[in-house]
């Protein structure tokens, strides 16, 4: 039998998928069952278009404590009986509709993923993309998202220690809002799910309401044309309640009373219960009549699909329920037994004595997987082969103005307006915070530290998704190396448009291939992640934006390195590749309004560069290190000067005859380093052994940034442009 497409659209299922449900069930599903399928077979929960591709990613390492996809977040052994837990998630569509609550509940959700693993959340980072700030709607989204992140994270007492913010027209209707949380836990306490028929299911935290209905199946699994139709799918957060949940759950995991802990995120009780039953090879029996509610007249369909925030599902050993309930009551948290684990493999939902749904867990968690047609679009070939030599070079005497304009552009300008709203010193672990290449956090009771960063560049991926994916991994690792950290593992969030379109599926496939290639070459496995598709409105997709969050280890915090120039007279070198290219550069976009060319990366060189730089930092040779990214050499030197309050006197640079390419090109695999003159020969020998190019740029000193024949600016000028650019754009 068939069902109207309108009814299927409500749960984001196709007629073909409905026919498959009929064949597998051998009957028609009722309304509640259809809601379960719609949520669990959604793109957000089922990864229908991405799961086959994600198998390309390397996921093995002796440090990894739980297999990828088996738990809420990835866990990584860092020695001394400690583990890092890390995950990144998206809240793009909710933030496009209600920016404050969309961003706030995104923070709340990713934090719950961390403490369900038994880890205390110790850091937040975010990766944000918006449309140009000269449009009022984009300013509203930007300020609302930043306020939501600050409002929720500050109340939890978790420092927001880093991130990135970029702007481009493609994100005007679809902002990208990705949140990363990192936690720390004793290795022996890393929480994972166990089975056990008869164990009890307890729901703790907020009462259940109608907010968030169809969040997974509607908001995150299709394009949308009118935000009004989906406003009810945006959740509302309560960070003070979440703070109580954090402390209560971290106390609970130190007992032996439970066998599992799961947050209620996308699809609410449906995904929390069914997915965990699937992991344990078990079934479940839930009575929705026992679920505490804050709204009258809610039916079983609404209770099962509600995405009300600050709720946890706890699997409690038989006989321990009173102790668990007493623990939560001490924290003023409501807690009720709503069901139990069964051995029959069925997801059975009751409303009192009435069975309102009964479906095999195995079917619910086995959505169809798609491998649609992949096709490189013709327009991409044209952009990649555009003759950039025809672009006018910077005339003599105008490089000063170009550098100031780049420093003031919202993509490059200081993000202090953003991060001064975040508390990045709470918990007193932050050693390097926002504004550095990567955040550095001390591990209390140890000489070790960890570094963490998020990186991605949509322009690069738009022009070459394979190279862009690889560059995202390489830049994240390079940022960690510049702090003196050895990259250990990554989490990712892949933000793209509608994968049913051949050009978008091409982007998705190539981005993942690029990520995988860089991960293998740099020996950095993937331990967790998220895919956010259908970021598209009225046929306009965002740039393919894979964002990489990466963590690294510093064995001795005393050996950490920062980007700022340290001392007058130090020699400055460019370690790595030679002159930059204009392809996909911020310079090209800012000065000429062009997004064109074909970015590239030599992963073999990148690996040698990072090994050389890290070794030199560990041996105390390098005083400062800063990677070259947006804005190229000129911007990177300016940032080193601003950070240290010291000037730079540089030699003339030759960009193959082009001033713009030499000063502002963005070739990969390049790091600016400064060294004591006595250590320069050691650096030269190390670079020679690793076959990494090394070029003398000049020396630290004075109160001006000088690049002979091209740039001569006072530090006050460049700092004023850099610090005021974002606020000026907002005004």
């Amino acid at each position: 039998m068939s069902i109207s497409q309108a009814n299927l659209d409500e749960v984001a299922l196709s007629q073909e998928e409905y026919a498959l449900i009929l064949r597998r069930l051998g009957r028609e599903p009722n309304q509640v069952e259809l809601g379960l399928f719609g949520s669990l077979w959604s793109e957000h929960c089922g990864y229908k278009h991405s799961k086959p591709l994600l198998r390309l990613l390397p996921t093995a390492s002796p440090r990894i404590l739980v297999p990828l996809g088996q738990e809420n977040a990835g866990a990584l052994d860092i020695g001394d009986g400690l583990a890092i837990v890390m995950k990144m998630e998206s809240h793009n569509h909710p933030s496009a509709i209600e920016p404050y609550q969309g961003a706030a509940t995104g923070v709340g959700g990713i934090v719950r993923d961390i403490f369900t693993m038994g880890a205390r959340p110790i850091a937040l980072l975010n990766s944000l993309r918006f449309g140009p700030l000269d449009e009022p709607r984009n300013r509203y989204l930007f300020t609302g998202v930043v306020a939501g992140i600050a409002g929720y994270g500050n109340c939890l007492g978790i420092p927001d220690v880093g991130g990135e913010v970029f702007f481009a027209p493609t994100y005007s209707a679809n902002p990208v809002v990705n949140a990363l949380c990192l936690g720390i836990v004793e290795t022996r306490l890393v929480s994972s799910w166990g089975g056990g028929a008869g164990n009890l299911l307890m729901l703790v935290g907020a009462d259940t309401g109608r907010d968030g209905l169809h969040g997974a199946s509607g908001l995150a699994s299709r394009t949308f044309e009118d935000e009004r139709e989906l406003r009810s799918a945006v959740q509302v957060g309560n960070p003070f309640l979440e703070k109580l949940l954090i402390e209560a759950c971290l106390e609970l995991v130190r007992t032996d009373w439970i066998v599992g802990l799961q947050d209620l995120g996308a699809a609410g009780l449906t995904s929390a219960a069914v997915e965990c039953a699937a992991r344990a090879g078990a079934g479940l029996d839930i009575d929705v009549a026992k679920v505490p509610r804050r709204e009258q007249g809610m039916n079983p369909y609404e209770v099962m699909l509600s995405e009300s925030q600050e709720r946890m599902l706890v699997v409690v050993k038989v006989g321990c329920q009173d102790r668990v309930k007493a623990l939560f009551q001490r924290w003023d948290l409501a807690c009720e037994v709503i069901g139990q684990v069964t051995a029959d493999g069925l997801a059975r939902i009751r409303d009192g004595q009435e069975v309102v749904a009964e479906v095999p867990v195995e079917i619910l968690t086995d959505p169809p997987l798609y491998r649609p047609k992949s096709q490189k679009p013709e327009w991409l070939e044209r952009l990649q082969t555009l003759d950039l030599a025809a672009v006018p070079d910077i005339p003599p005497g105008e490089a000063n103005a170009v550098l100031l304009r780049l420093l003031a552009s919202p993509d490059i300008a200081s993000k202090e307006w953003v991060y001064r709203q975040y508390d990045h010193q709470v918990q007193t672990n932050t050693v390097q915070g926002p504004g550095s290449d990567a955040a550095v956090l001390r591990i209390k009771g140890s000489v070790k530290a960890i570094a963490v960063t998020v990186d991605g560049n949509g322009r690069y991926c738009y022009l070459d998704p394979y190279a862009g994916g690889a560059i995202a991994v390489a830049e994240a690792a390079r940022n960690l190396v510049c702090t003196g950290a050895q990259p250990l593992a990554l989490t990712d969030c892949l933000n793209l448009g509608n994968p049913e379109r051949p050009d978008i599926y091409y982007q998705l496939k190539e981005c993942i291939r690029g990520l995988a290639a860089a991960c293998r070459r740099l020996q950095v496995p993937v331990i967790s992640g998220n895919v956010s598709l259908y970021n598209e409105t009225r046929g306009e997709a965002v740039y393919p934006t894979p964002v990489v969050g990466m963590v690294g280890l510093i064995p001795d915090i005393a050996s950490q390195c920062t980007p700022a120039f340290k001392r007058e007279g130090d020699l400055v070198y460019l370690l790595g590749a030679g002159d930059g290219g204009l392809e996909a550069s911020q310079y090209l976009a800012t000065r000429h309004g062009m997004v064109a060319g074909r970015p590239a990366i030599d992963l073999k060189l990148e690996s040698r560069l990072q090994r050389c730089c890290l070794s030199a930092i560990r041996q105390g040779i390098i005083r400062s290190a800063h990677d070259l990214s947006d804005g190229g050499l000129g911007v990177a030197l300016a940032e080193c000067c601003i950070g240290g309050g010291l000037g730079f006197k540089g030699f003339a640079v030759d960009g193959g005859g082009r001033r713009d390419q030499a000063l502002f090109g963005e070739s990969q695999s390049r790091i600016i380093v400064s060294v004591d003159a006595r250590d320069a020969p050691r650096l030269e020998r190390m670079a020679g052994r690793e076959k990494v190019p090394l070029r003398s740029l000049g020396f630290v000193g004075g109160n001006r940034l000088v690049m002979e024949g091209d740039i001569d600016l006072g530090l006050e000028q460049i700092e004023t442009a850099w610090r005021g650019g974002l606020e000026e754009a907002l005004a």
Side-chain angles (χ1 to χ4, degrees):
M1 294 184 63
S2 64
I3 186 173
S4 74
Q5 190 58 53
N7 288 337
L8 291 178
D9 283 344
E10 184 175 326
V11 290
L13 290 170
S14 67
Q15 287 286 354
E16 292 76 15
E17 288 169 340
Y18 184 71
L20 180 59
I21 292 169
L22 293 181
R23 290 198 300 273
R24 291 186 179 180
L25 273 183
R27 61 176 175 82
E28 291 186 64
N30 62 34
Q31 183 194 27
V32 177
E33 292 168 339
L34 190 63
L36 302 183
F37 275 109
S39 293
L40 293 168
W41 283 23
S42 68
E43 189 66 49
H44 188 76
C45 295
Y47 284 46
K48 294 182 290 190
H49 290 87
S50 56
K51 188 176 289 185
L53 298 173
L54 294 174
R55 293 169 184 153
L56 298 171
L57 298 173
T59 59
S61 166
R63 292 182 179 272
I64 294 176
L65 299 176
V66 294
L68 178 66
Q70 294 300 304
E71 296 296 341
N72 294 278
L76 200 67
D77 190 337
I78 60 170
D80 299 327
L82 294 176
I84 289 297
V85 175
M86 183 171 66
K87 176 76 180 293
M88 183 157 51
E89 279 274 6
S90 62
H91 238 220
N92 303 341
H93 286 169
S95 300
I97 298 169
E98 295 281 2
Y100 185 96
Q101 290 297 344
T105 53
V107 171
I110 195 61
V111 168
R112 291 194 297 276
D113 279 338
I114 299 306
F115 71 77
T116 58
M117 300 286 291
R120 175 169 294 280
I122 63 169
L124 292 164
L125 294 90
N126 41 75
S127 178
L128 311 176
R129 307 287 191 283
F130 303 93
L133 290 175
D134 56 3
E135 297 179 18
R137 173 69 178 173
N138 293 330
R139 293 197 297 275
Y140 162 72
L141 293 173
F142 173 54
T143 56
V145 164
V146 170
I149 292 170
Y152 206 101
N154 291 352
C155 290
L156 293 181
I158 303 173
D160 197 311
V161 297
E164 56 178 10
V165 186
F166 290 102
F167 304 88
T170 186
Y171 300 109
S172 286
N174 288 272
V176 167
V177 180
N178 292 175
L180 180 151
C181 187
L182 183 143
I184 192 164
V185 60
E186 294 176 50
T187 307
R188 65 182 181 86
L189 293 177
V190 172
S191 176
S192 61
W193 272 85
N199 287 329
L200 302 177
L201 301 175
M202 300 185 75
L203 187 62
V204 60
D207 290 346
T208 298
R210 290 188 172 92
D211 50 325
L213 287 176
H214 300 130
S217 61
L219 201 57
S221 299
R222 63 173 179 177
T223 61
F224 61 95
E225 309 306 318
D226 186 345
E227 67 178 51
R228 290 173 297 179
E229 64 173 318
L230 294 169
R231 193 170 296 277
S232 64
V234 179
Q235 310 95 331
V236 177
N238 180 349
F240 300 105
L241 181 58
E242 177 128 332
K243 176 61 175 173
L244 297 178
L245 277 173
I246 293 173
E247 300 304 330
C249 289
L250 290 181
E251 181 180 338
L252 182 62
V253 297
R254 302 187 75 89
T255 72
D256 63 351
W257 305 339
I258 67 172
V259 295
L261 187 64
Q262 174 70 41
D263 80 300
L264 273 69
L269 188 54
T270 293
S271 63
V274 174
E275 290 179 1
C276 293
R279 292 175 194 162
L284 59 92
D285 188 312
I286 289 177
D287 183 357
V288 295
K290 296 180 179 179
V291 174
R293 309 172 194 187
R294 67 168 180 261
E295 296 185 46
Q296 298 295 317
M298 291 184 69
N299 59 39
Y301 180 93
E302 293 170 323
V303 173
M304 288 302 298
L305 298 184
S306 167
E307 294 185 9
S308 294
Q309 296 292 286
E310 293 86 38
R311 298 182 299 160
M312 306 292 291
L313 184 67
V314 188
V315 184
V316 182
K317 293 179 181 178
V318 176
C320 295
Q321 59 268 31
D322 290 340
R323 281 177 283 183
V324 172
K325 191 165 187 175
L327 185 154
F328 282 124
Q329 286 176 339
R330 287 204 312 275
W331 290 96
D332 290 330
L333 292 168
C335 177
E336 297 294 339
V337 175
I338 64 168
Q340 64 180 358
V341 179
T342 64
D344 59 12
L346 295 175
R348 185 178 297 107
I349 313 301
R350 293 183 292 111
D351 188 3
Q353 296 302 310
E354 180 187 2
V355 175
V356 296
E358 190 172 83
V359 183
V361 168
E362 185 179 16
I363 298 177
L364 286 171
T365 56
D366 184 27
L369 301 180
Y370 299 116
R371 296 173 177 83
K373 181 180 178 182
S374 169
Q375 184 174 345
K376 180 178 179 179
E378 292 182 5
W379 56 260
L380 179 55
E381 188 70 34
R382 291 195 298 271
L383 287 179
Q384 289 177 340
T385 57
L386 198 66
D387 182 14
L388 297 182
V391 175
D393 196 359
I394 301 171
E398 290 191 20
N400 282 345
V402 174
L403 176 57
L404 292 174
R405 182 180 175 188
L406 282 172
L407 289 170
S409 66
D411 282 354
I412 291 176
S414 168
K415 304 306 185 293
E416 189 175 5
W417 183 91
V418 175
Y419 63 73
R420 73 187 177 203
Q421 300 182 52
Y422 306 152
D423 190 337
H424 51 270
Q425 292 291 348
V426 67
Q427 297 190 20
T428 66
N429 295 317
T430 307
V431 180
Q432 290 188 49
S436 297
D437 282 334
V440 175
L441 305 167
R442 65 172 55 86
I443 299 175
K444 289 173 180 170
S446 167
V447 298
K448 293 180 179 178
I450 53 176
V452 60
T453 186
V454 291
D455 285 287
N457 190 310
R459 285 195 316 275
Y460 292 168
C461 295
Y462 177 66
L463 293 171
D464 190 316
Y466 178 90
I471 289 170
V473 174
E475 184 173 355
R478 200 182 315 131
N479 281 334
L480 296 183
V481 163
C482 286
T483 69
Q486 174 68 54
L488 296 182
L490 68 84
T491 182
D492 57 24
C493 195
L494 312 182
N495 308 273
L496 295 96
N498 180 354
E500 299 165 47
R501 290 171 42 184
D503 58 331
I504 302 297
Y505 191 73
Y506 165 82
Q507 293 175 341
L508 176 64
K509 182 178 72 173
E510 292 301 300
C511 278
I512 292 174
R513 287 184 59 244
L515 289 167
C519 286
R520 286 192 295 270
R521 172 59 62 179
L522 301 178
Q523 298 182 331
V524 184
V526 179
I527 61 171
S528 61
N530 172 243
V531 178
S532 175
L533 303 178
Y534 296 96
N535 292 287
E536 185 171 315
T537 300
R538 301 179 182 90
E540 180 69 24
V542 300
Y543 285 154
T545 311
V547 176
V548 170
M550 193 178 294
V551 66
L553 185 65
I554 302 175
D556 186 344
I557 197 170
S559 68
Q560 66 162 320
C561 192
T562 67
F565 288 147
K566 299 297 187 300
R567 195 174 66 182
E568 296 255 359
D570 282 348
L571 304 184
V572 179
Y573 289 88
L574 179 63
L575 183 64
D579 298 314
L582 297 182
E583 298 83 5
S585 64
Q586 183 70 46
Y587 163 82
L588 202 62
T590 300
R591 181 171 171 83
H592 297 287
M594 295 174 62
V595 177
R598 187 167 192 171
I601 184 169
D602 179 345
L603 289 173
K604 292 181 181 179
L605 172 59
E606 183 72 40
S607 178
R608 299 196 305 272
L609 167 73
Q610 294 188 18
R611 187 165 57 242
C612 178
C613 184
L614 184 58
S615 178
I617 290 173
R618 296 271 174 92
Q619 294 182 41
I621 297 171
I622 289 177
R623 289 183 180 273
S624 71
H626 183 33
D627 84 309
L628 274 72
S629 56
D630 297 270
L633 179 63
V635 167
L637 285 169
E639 290 169 341
C640 294
C641 291
I642 293 168
L646 292 168
F648 168 78
K649 172 66 175 177
F651 311 127
V653 293
D654 177 16
R658 290 199 63 118
R659 185 174 288 104
D660 52 7
Q661 185 166 292
L663 297 176
F664 307 119
E666 294 180 16
S667 290
Q668 298 301 303
S669 310
R670 300 189 295 166
I671 299 173
I672 290 176
V673 299
S674 65
V675 300
D676 186 291
R678 293 168 295 183
D679 290 323
R682 296 173 64 194
L683 179 63
E684 291 168 1
R685 288 194 296 270
M686 291 182 70
R689 284 197 301 270
E690 290 287 1
K691 299 181 180 178
V692 175
L694 182 69
R695 186 173 76 192
S696 176
L697 293 176
F699 58 90
V700 177
N703 59 4
R704 302 186 70 79
L705 169 59
V706 178
M707 301 180 74
E708 187 178 315
D710 291 311
I711 290 174
D712 188 349
L713 291 166
L715 293 191
E716 185 176 344
Q717 280 180 283
I718 64 174
E719 185 166 359
T720 297
W722 180 74
R723 290 200 184 280
L726 182 57
E727 292 190 47
E728 185 175 334
L730 279 169

